[in-house]
Amino acid sequence: MKDYFTEILIVIAYSGRTQAAIILGMIGFLIISLVGDYYLTNFELSGTMSAFTDVIKEKLLRRYDKAAWGVLLGFWWMAFKFYHKDKRKFWNSF
């Protein structure tokens, strides 16, 4: 188990693409979550639609949340693919 964990860390340390994908996924998740929250903090409807403000706000927050998770999982999937490509390339060079 210790050797497997060491192998993962070595490949990630030498793979700039994997590192970039992991970092971009986390940054994208945070940015989309914060932007969604920022845009919806002062969201209010007026007139007869004011009763639906909370319902619409929750639906929009859920969509921002799904988009943020989609970005995170998409970038992590890409990092997983890059990891396997770089692992083969790295260990075949020896």
Side-chain angles (χ1 to χ4, degrees):
M1 181 72 178
K2 185 177 180 182
D3 294 332
Y4 184 70
F5 186 66
T6 305
E7 176 184 324
I8 290 172
L9 290 178
I10 288 171
V11 173
I12 289 175
Y14 285 107
S15 175
R17 297 185 308 174
T18 305
Q19 292 173 6
I22 291 170
I23 291 169
L24 285 175
M26 290 188 290
I27 290 172
F29 178 81
L30 286 174
I31 288 175
I32 291 173
S33 297
L34 291 175
V35 165
D37 189 45
Y38 175 75
Y39 282 151
L40 295 176
T41 53
N42 296 327
F43 179 77
E44 286 194 30
L45 298 173
S46 60
T48 58
M49 298 296 284
S50 64
F52 299 115
T53 300
D54 292 333
V55 175
I56 293 173
K57 189 175 183 178
E58 288 298 319
K59 285 194 178 273
L60 290 174
L61 278 173
R62 206 171 315 136
R63 287 200 179 180
Y64 276 111
D65 194 42
K66 284 182 182 181
W69 280 106
V71 167
L72 181 68
L73 293 176
F75 271 104
W76 281 6
W77 179 254
M78 190 170 54
F80 181 74
K81 290 168 80 174
F82 286 155
Y83 167 79
H84 279 288
K85 285 181 183 179
D86 291 338
K87 179 181 166 184
R88 276 188 242 122
K89 184 174 68 174
F90 180 71
W91 292 117
N92 287 337
S93 65
F94 288 111

